[in-house]
Amino acid sequence: MSGVPGNAAQAVRKIGKVSQGLIDISKKWKPTTLKGIQTPLSKINLVKNQPESMYILSMFPYPSGMLHMGHLRVYVISDALNRFYQQRGHKVIHPMGWDAFGLPAENAAIERGINPKDWTDENIAKMKEQMGNMLANFSWDREVKTCDPEYYKFTQMIFLKMLENGLAYRKEAEINWDPVDKTVLANEQVDASGHSWRSGALVEKKMLRQWFLKITDYVQPLLEDMKQLKHWPSKVRAMQRHWIGKSEGARVTFKTTDARFPSLSVYTTRVETISVVQFISLSGNHDIVTEYAKTNPELAQYVKDMKGLPDDSKSGFEIPGIKVINPWNQEELPVFVAPYVIDSYANEEGSVGAAVMGVPGHDKRDYEFASENMPNDPIRTCLKPSSDEIEAPFTVPFTAKLAVMDEGTGESVGTPAVEAREDITKILEERGVAKKSSQFKIRDWLISRQRYWGTPIPIIHCHSCGPVPVPESDLPVVLPEIHAIPSKGGNPLANIPEFVDVKCPKCGEDAKRETDTMDTFIDSSWYFFRYLDSKNKNLPFDYENATKNMPVNIYLGGVEHAILHLLYSRFISKFLGAIGMWDGAACKSEPFDRLITQGMVHGKTYVNPENGHFLKPDEIEISESGKTVVKGTAIEPTISYEKMSKSKYNGADPDSCIAAHGPDATRAHILFQAPVNDVLSWDETKIVGVERWLHKNLTLVRRISGFKQFEAGYKTPEGNELNEHEVAFHNDMQKNLRSITDSFERTMALNTVISDYMKITNNLEKASVHQNIRQEMIMQNLQKFTSVLYPVAPSISEEMASVIKENQPELASWNHYEWPEREHITEWSEKHYQVVINGRTKFKFVAEKDLFKKGMEHVYEYLLNHKEGRPYLVNRVYDKMILKYNIVSFVFKKPKKPKMAKKHNRSNDSN
C-alpha cells in the first residue's frame, strides 16, 4: 500500500495480482457462500449443553441507504458465528430485517417531496446488496420490515393486549418537545444537558395528552432478573440498574397551614436530616401550586416561565399564604415552587406533581437554592464527619459511611447516619407520619409521536364512549397512502380526513381516529419473536415456535442500545410471557441469553493544528521527506483515530474496501485488528498482510494436494509411531484448533482466531518443505484447516476444498463443512537427553522417554554401551551420578598429581 492518508480506498486504486486473485475467487464462489451450508452435517460436533438449534442475531439496522463500517463489523462477527455453529451441526437461525419506521425517513421524504415508503424500499434494496457483497449468510426467508402492514398489524395487537391488561393508558402530561423535529421525545431521548438525542435542539416542555406504557409495573422483575443475565457485559447491566434507579427511603407526611390541603407527602432517602429541613419545594404541576396560581398572577406567570428554565436552575418562587409543619419538631417551613422538582419524581400514587425536602446543610443543590432564595436564613446541620481527618464542607453531603449525628441531635449524637436513619424512621412510623418506601427513577414509557411514518395507535375517540380500541379483526390500521408529507410541524395524520373520520366501533356514532403514531422502539422490542414465525397471518408468532427457540442464544449490537432498546425488549418479552404468548419460565422471560456489544469503528482523522479544522483526504499529501503534510505546506497535521463522521472526513466505505481487496480479506482484517469489545481503529493499508496470508494458503493447497494420490480415511497414528517432528506438528495443530474452537464458542476472542489461522499456515508450510513429517499427516491437517477457515473466509475455504477434491479423487466425498473433532495431545515415545561431566555438557542422545524410571544402574549401563558415552565412562569410576529432568550428571574426582622430586641445587655442588 502507498500509505497515502485519507480515504484508504484512494490508496488502493491499483489492484495488485494478489488482490485481484482474491476478488475473482470470491466472485466465483459467491452464489455458494451466500447460501451457507446446504450439506447435511452429523451431530457429533454439537456443543455440549447447548440446544440443537442456535438463534444468533445482530440488531437489525435502520435502512439509511448505506452500510457503514460499524455495520460491517457486527455482521462479520455474527456471520462468522453463524457459519461456525452450522459447522458444529446446529440448526442456526440467523435472520435479518429492517427497523424501517422513524424520523430520518420522514425528514428525507419531506426534503425530497416523496413518500417515505419509497425512500425506505430503495434503501433496503441497496443495503441488501451490500450485505451480499460481504458474503453475509442471513436467513432471508425470515426477513421482516417494521413498516410492512403485516408486521405492524401485530405491533398494534400487542398494544391492545397491553391496554386490555391495564399497561397502556392516556393522560395529560408535561412532555419533552423537540422544536426542530416537531415531535415528542421520551425522557430517555433527552441527554443530560436537555438536548434532543437526534436533532440536538434544546428540548421544550409542553402539556399534551399522550399514550404511555406502564413499564413501572415491571420494575421489580426488570431489576431482579438481571441475575439471569450472566452472559451480559457487566457494564450494560450496571447501566440498566442505574437507569431503573432503585432507592430505599421513607415517605413522610407534613401537615400544612391550609385546610384545603391538610397534608403533603414527601419522599426522602435521607430521613436522618429531617430535623434540619428548611423548606419544601414543589413541582410546577403540584395541586397546591395549581390552586394558588389561580389567585396569584405572579405565581401563575412564574409557573408559565418556569417551563423554559433548565432543570438545574436555582430559581424559585415562595408561595405566600401557606406553610408546612415539620413532623419531627413542629417547625413551620416555607413552600417554594422550583424548576428542579420533576412532576413524576417519587410522587404519591394518584397525585399530580411532586414535593421534596430542602436540606441546604447536607445537599449541594439545596444549598445553592437556599443561597439564592433564602439568603438571610442561617444554614443548619445535623451531621458531621466521623473522623477529624476527613475534610468536607457542610454543603457537601457526607456519605453514610463517613457521617455521624452531631451535637444538636440529642440522644442520637455520635450515632452513624445509617443507624440514625433506621431509628428516626421507626419513631416517625410510630407517630403515624411516615412509612418505609422504595422508589424508582424510571418513569412510564411515553410512546406517542406526532409523525406520519410510524405504527398508528389503534384507538378511536368517541364523544360518547371515550377512547375505544380498534377491534382485532379490523387490524391493521394502515397508514393512508400519500404522495408526500407537507412539512415538519403539527401531526401529518391529523390533516387527512379520510383517515381521521370514522365510526365508533362501540356505538356506531361519528368518531375520530387517534392520529399519534407509536415510538419506533415498540417495533424493535419484539421483532426477534416475529423472525421465528414471520409468515404467520393470524398471530405475531406461534407459542411453540417461540418457546422452543427463545431466548436468543447470542445477540450482537452496539453498547449505545444498552438502555432503551434492551430495557424495552426485556419489558415486552416479560409481558408476552405473562399473558401466555410464550413460555419463558426457564429464563424468567428474558429475551437474550448472551449479549455481545462490539466496539465502535474509529477512522483516521487529520486536523490542521493552526486553525483546528478537520482536513479532507484531498487536503493532505506525502512530502518528499515522507512526512504527511497539509497540501502545499510544510505543516504536519495532528493525527488521531475518532468516531467516523462526515464532518471529520474520516469515514470509510465498506463497499470500496470489499471492491479493492475482496470480502474474505476484508472480513479477516476487520476481525484481526481488535478484540470484539474494543474500539477498532480502522487502517485499510494494513490489510495487505491479510491478503498475502490468504494467497499463501492458496499456494500451499496446490503444493500439498500435488504431493501424491492420498487415500481417504487416514487417521493419525499413536504417539509411539510418530517421530519427534510429527508429534510436534500434531500437537501444534491440535492446540491451535482448540484455541480457535474456544474463541468461537466461549471467549469470542475472534482476533486471536486469525492469529491461530496464521500459525497453522506457517506450520503447514514448514512441514511441506522439510520432508520430516509424513505427507498423509500434512494432507489431513490441511483438510482440517480448510474447514475451520470457513467461518471467516468462506470463499477461500471453498476454493481450497475444490483444489483438494480436484487433485485428490479419493477425497472427493470429504465434507469440508464439518468442524474437525478434537484429538488428544500426544507425546513422542522418546526424549532428548544430555550428559554433563564435572559441570560441562559432553554430548546429547535420544532414548526412551521413561529411561530414568529404570534406575541409575540401567542408565549407566545404557551410556556405557552407547557409542558416544563409552569414551567418557570406560575404565572410570564416578563419585556421584545425578538424574534430573533430562540431564545425566556425573562427578569424577580429578586424579592426584604425583609429588615431584626436589631439584638438585647446582650452586651448592660447586661449593
Side-chain angles (χ1 to χ4, degrees):
M1 296 293 106
S2 63
V4 177
N7 190 331
Q10 294 179 351
V12 291
R13 293 288 185 192
K14 187 177 180 181
I15 300 175
K17 288 183 180 179
V18 170
S19 301
Q20 189 60 59
L22 299 177
I23 292 166
D24 290 343
I25 287 171
S26 71
K27 288 178 180 176
K28 172 183 173 182
W29 292 105
K30 187 174 180 179
T32 303
T33 53
L34 286 180
K35 288 178 184 175
I37 297 174
Q38 305 296 307
T39 308
L41 301 178
S42 70
K43 299 292 182 282
I44 196 167
N45 282 317
L46 276 178
V47 181
K48 192 176 181 182
N49 298 326
Q50 286 190 342
E52 185 176 330
S53 66
M54 280 290 290
Y55 192 174
I56 298 172
L57 182 63
S58 47
M59 295 178 185
F60 63 172
Y62 181 78
S64 60
M66 190 179 83
L67 295 179
H68 53 65
M69 293 305 294
H71 288 129
L72 181 65
R73 188 180 194 194
V74 70
Y75 300 148
V76 165
I77 295 166
S78 109
D79 189 55
L81 291 169
N82 156 54
R83 293 178 190 271
F84 166 76
Y85 280 104
Q86 285 183 35
Q87 288 184 275
R88 299 283 274 172
H90 293 267
K91 293 177 183 175
V92 180
I93 300 167
H94 186 228
M96 180 49 64
W98 312 96
D99 192 8
F101 273 140
L103 267 179
E106 188 154 322
N107 291 344
I110 291 169
E111 291 167 11
R112 293 165 176 78
I114 60 172
N115 189 310
K117 180 181 184 302
D118 299 333
W119 187 81
T120 299
D121 287 343
E122 285 177 18
N123 289 346
I124 287 174
K126 291 176 193 171
M127 293 172 75
K128 279 183 85 167
E129 183 180 354
Q130 286 182 294
M131 289 176 179
N133 291 341
M134 59 172 283
L135 305 182
N137 167 232
F138 289 119
S139 313
W140 287 113
D141 57 323
R142 299 177 181 272
E143 180 182 11
V144 300
K145 285 192 299 185
T146 60
C147 65
D148 185 339
E150 282 301 310
Y151 182 89
Y152 67 73
K153 166 185 178 178
F154 296 114
T155 303
Q156 292 170 342
M157 185 184 288
I158 291 169
F159 171 85
L160 293 179
K161 294 287 185 190
M162 300 190 87
L163 183 69
E164 182 185 321
N165 284 273
L167 291 177
Y169 65 94
R170 188 172 182 247
K171 72 170 185 178
E172 187 171 54
E174 185 180 73
I175 51 84
N176 305 303
W177 180 258
D178 187 323
V180 172
D181 283 328
K182 308 290 184 185
T183 190
V184 171
L185 300 173
N187 291 330
E188 295 89 339
Q189 294 164 327
V190 180
D191 67 21
S193 63
H195 290 79
S196 166
W197 72 312
R198 190 180 292 279
S199 73
L202 185 64
V203 169
E204 299 172 358
K205 301 291 185 181
K206 284 189 176 185
M207 293 297 292
L208 284 176
R209 288 193 71 76
Q210 305 284 287
W211 285 96
F212 293 82
L213 297 181
K214 270 193 173 182
I215 192 172
T216 51
D217 277 15
Y218 276 71
V219 71
Q220 285 290 2
L222 286 172
L223 196 60
E224 290 170 8
D225 293 347
M226 282 188 194
K227 299 171 189 171
Q228 190 79 16
L229 309 179
K230 296 173 184 175
H231 306 301
W232 281 37
S234 56
K235 174 175 146 183
V236 173
R237 297 199 303 269
M239 290 167 77
Q240 290 214 358
R241 282 196 191 93
H242 177 73
W243 188 260
I244 291 169
K246 183 177 182 179
S247 62
E248 299 288 350
R251 184 165 290 284
V252 183
T253 301
F254 288 73
K255 291 181 180 179
T256 83
T257 58
D258 188 332
R260 292 173 298 173
F261 304 98
S263 63
L264 185 68
S265 176
V266 177
Y267 173 76
T268 179
T269 58
R270 304 290 304 279
V271 74
E272 74 275 14
T273 65
I274 194 167
S275 64
V276 291
V277 176
Q278 294 187 240
F279 60 91
I280 296 292
S281 290
L282 307 178
S283 65
N285 288 310
H286 196 280
D287 294 339
I288 291 175
V289 178
T290 302
E291 187 63 31
Y292 273 81
K294 291 176 182 177
T295 56
N296 188 325
E298 289 182 31
L299 174 59
Q301 185 62 44
Y302 179 81
V303 171
K304 184 178 178 181
D305 295 341
M306 189 173 74
K307 293 176 182 177
L309 297 173
D311 292 342
D312 60 353
S313 169
K314 307 305 180 294
S315 167
F317 187 101
E318 184 177 354
I319 303 174
I322 186 171
K323 300 283 185 182
V324 298
I325 300 167
N326 189 329
W328 184 256
N329 53 23
Q330 308 308 307
E331 180 182 2
E332 287 193 357
L333 305 172
V335 180
F336 288 85
V337 57
Y340 72 82
V341 186
I342 301 168
D343 278 325
S344 56
Y345 174 74
N347 56 355
E348 199 165 20
E349 185 71 29
S351 67
V352 177
V356 298
M357 296 186 338
V359 186
H362 298 299
D363 185 274
K364 187 172 186 294
R365 183 195 60 196
D366 291 351
Y367 175 77
E368 291 170 349
F369 182 87
S371 298
E372 184 167 324
N373 296 281
M374 306 167 63
N376 299 321
D377 287 25
I379 303 296
R380 304 204 303 271
T381 64
C382 65
L383 299 173
K384 65 178 182 179
S386 58
S387 168
D388 293 337
E389 297 176 6
I390 301 166
E391 294 183 8
F394 66 85
T395 55
V396 178
F398 305 119
T399 65
K401 290 181 180 178
L402 301 181
V404 296
M405 307 303 287
D406 71 12
E407 285 72 10
T409 56
E411 294 180 3
S412 297
V413 63
T415 305
V418 174
E419 291 181 26
R421 189 175 303 161
E422 287 291 320
D423 295 341
I424 291 171
T425 300
K426 284 180 183 177
I427 293 170
L428 292 172
E429 282 179 322
E430 289 169 1
R431 295 180 186 177
V433 293
K435 60 180 178 179
K436 282 188 176 181
S437 175
S438 297
Q439 294 292 328
F440 299 90
K441 187 173 70 174
I442 190 172
R443 306 269 68 89
D444 280 343
W445 180 5
L446 170 58
I447 65 164
S448 291
R449 298 293 180 272
Q450 294 66 45
R451 304 172 189 160
Y452 166 78
W453 196 233
T455 297
I457 295 176
I459 294 291
I460 292 169
H461 298 284
C462 174
H463 289 296
S464 303
C465 308
V468 179
V470 172
E472 280 193 12
S473 58
D474 292 346
L475 298 180
V477 176
V478 180
L479 287 170
E481 288 286 339
I482 59 171
H483 294 295
I485 301 171
S487 64
K488 294 181 183 179
N491 190 326
L493 290 176
N495 301 317
I496 305 174
E498 57 270 29
F499 176 79
V500 176
D501 297 330
V502 291
K503 297 292 183 182
C504 173
K506 213 171 188 181
C507 69
E509 297 297 317
D510 288 345
K512 299 287 184 184
R513 196 183 293 282
E514 173 64 63
T515 56
D516 282 355
T517 53
M518 296 188 207
D519 180 6
T520 57
F521 276 111
I522 292 188
D523 303 311
S524 60
S525 65
W526 73 278
Y527 78 108
F528 36 88
F529 283 101
R530 184 62 178 170
Y531 276 145
L532 300 174
D533 203 6
S534 62
K535 305 296 187 292
N536 196 323
K537 299 286 185 183
N538 302 313
L539 292 169
F541 50 88
D542 174 71
Y543 173 90
E544 297 294 341
N545 241 331
T547 301
K548 178 184 176 183
N549 293 298
M550 288 292 290
V552 174
N553 297 97
I554 301 174
Y555 194 39
L556 300 104
V559 73
E560 64 271 18
H561 300 293
I563 296 173
L564 300 184
H565 165 60
L566 291 172
L567 191 62
Y568 292 156
S569 296
R570 294 180 63 218
F571 166 46
I572 297 297
S573 298
K574 287 179 180 296
F575 166 71
L576 295 174
I579 63 172
M581 289 188 70
W582 72 295
D583 183 358
C587 60
K588 303 282 188 181
S589 293
E590 289 289 342
F592 313 119
D593 180 26
R594 183 170 193 175
L595 176 69
I596 299 172
T597 53
Q598 85 285 350
M600 297 182 73
V601 181
H602 286 186
K604 207 169 191 178
T605 310
Y606 298 85
V607 176
N608 188 327
E610 295 196 343
N611 55 24
H613 291 167
F614 292 104
L615 297 167
K616 297 177 183 177
D618 59 3
E619 293 178 319
I620 45 186
E621 62 184 2
I622 301 295
S623 67
E624 291 182 5
S625 63
K627 294 181 179 179
T628 301
V629 296
V630 179
K631 187 175 282 186
T633 74
I635 300 169
E636 294 183 38
T638 303
I639 303 174
S640 62
Y641 282 91
E642 297 184 28
K643 181 180 177 181
M644 290 184 176
S645 70
K646 291 179 181 178
S647 63
K648 295 177 182 176
Y649 312 112
N650 64 349
D653 176 17
D655 269 1
S656 296
C657 184
I658 291 169
H661 309 286
D664 298 82
T666 303
R667 289 164 63 107
H669 180 61
I670 211 165
L671 293 177
F672 190 36
Q673 288 302 293
V676 165
N677 301 113
D678 290 1
V679 168
L680 191 162
S681 297
W682 182 251
D683 186 348
E684 196 168 316
T685 60
K686 292 180 180 177
I687 200 171
V688 65
V690 172
E691 288 182 300
R692 288 172 181 158
W693 162 65
L694 289 174
H695 180 71
K696 183 188 288 187
N697 291 325
L698 295 168
T699 303
L700 200 56
V701 75
R702 295 186 188 100
R703 181 197 304 160
I704 295 172
S705 63
F707 279 164
K708 66 179 183 179
Q709 289 300 304
F710 295 98
E711 293 182 3
Y714 176 79
K715 290 188 177 180
T716 306
E718 295 297 324
N720 56 7
E721 299 177 43
L722 300 176
N723 68 38
E724 174 186 6
H725 304 286
E726 289 170 337
V727 167
F729 177 70
H730 170 81
N731 289 347
D732 283 345
M733 188 70 185
Q734 286 306 309
K735 287 174 185 175
N736 288 321
L737 288 176
R738 289 183 184 192
S739 175
I740 291 166
T741 304
D742 192 55
S743 294
F744 274 119
E745 72 181 30
R746 194 178 65 83
T747 65
M748 295 297 155
L750 301 190
N751 57 317
T752 67
V753 166
I754 311 302
S755 56
D756 286 335
Y757 282 163
M758 292 176 174
K759 291 174 187 174
I760 292 174
T761 301
N762 290 336
N763 287 340
L764 286 169
E765 186 177 41
K766 290 175 185 175
S768 70
V769 171
H770 294 307
Q771 299 181 346
N772 48 20
I773 296 168
R774 65 192 77 187
Q775 293 178 339
E776 287 80 3
M777 283 186 70
I778 299 173
M779 172 54 75
Q780 180 197 51
N781 284 290
L782 174 66
Q783 289 174 266
K784 291 177 181 177
F785 177 49
T786 299
S787 297
V788 299
L789 185 61
Y790 177 77
V792 173
S795 309
I796 303 302
S797 175
E798 293 284 4
E799 179 68 10
M800 290 170 67
S802 175
V803 170
I804 291 171
K805 291 178 182 182
E806 185 179 333
N807 291 346
Q808 297 292 327
E810 290 292 320
L811 303 180
S813 61
W814 160 55
N815 189 345
H816 64 279
Y817 297 119
E818 291 269 13
W819 194 262
E821 293 181 54
R822 292 187 177 185
E823 296 178 31
H824 292 295
I825 299 293
T826 190
E827 289 186 26
W828 184 33
S829 58
E830 296 185 304
K831 189 175 181 179
H832 285 277
Y833 298 88
Q834 56 180 313
V835 174
V836 175
I837 296 177
N838 289 344
R840 292 190 177 183
T841 301
K842 295 300 183 180
F843 68 93
K844 297 177 181 179
F845 68 98
V846 174
E848 57 186 320
K849 64 181 179 182
D850 294 332
L851 179 65
F852 284 5
K853 290 182 180 179
K854 296 184 177 181
M856 287 188 181
E857 288 187 17
H858 178 83
V859 175
Y860 179 76
E861 288 296 326
Y862 180 90
L863 292 176
L864 189 61
N865 294 315
H866 193 280
K867 62 179 181 179
E868 289 192 60
R870 188 171 179 78
Y872 293 102
L873 301 177
V874 71
N875 295 328
R876 297 184 70 184
V877 178
Y878 62 84
D879 291 301
K880 188 183 288 185
M881 178 180 176
I882 303 168
L883 306 180
K884 191 171 184 180
Y885 304 120
N886 64 331
I887 300 171
V888 184
S889 181
F890 290 101
V891 177
F892 290 96
K893 287 184 179 177
K894 293 182 181 179
K896 294 180 180 179
K897 292 181 180 179
K899 292 183 179 180
M900 298 289 292
K902 289 184 179 180
K903 289 184 179 180
H904 186 70
N905 192 323
R906 291 181 182 271
S907 59
N908 291 338
D909 288 346
S910 61
N911 294 328

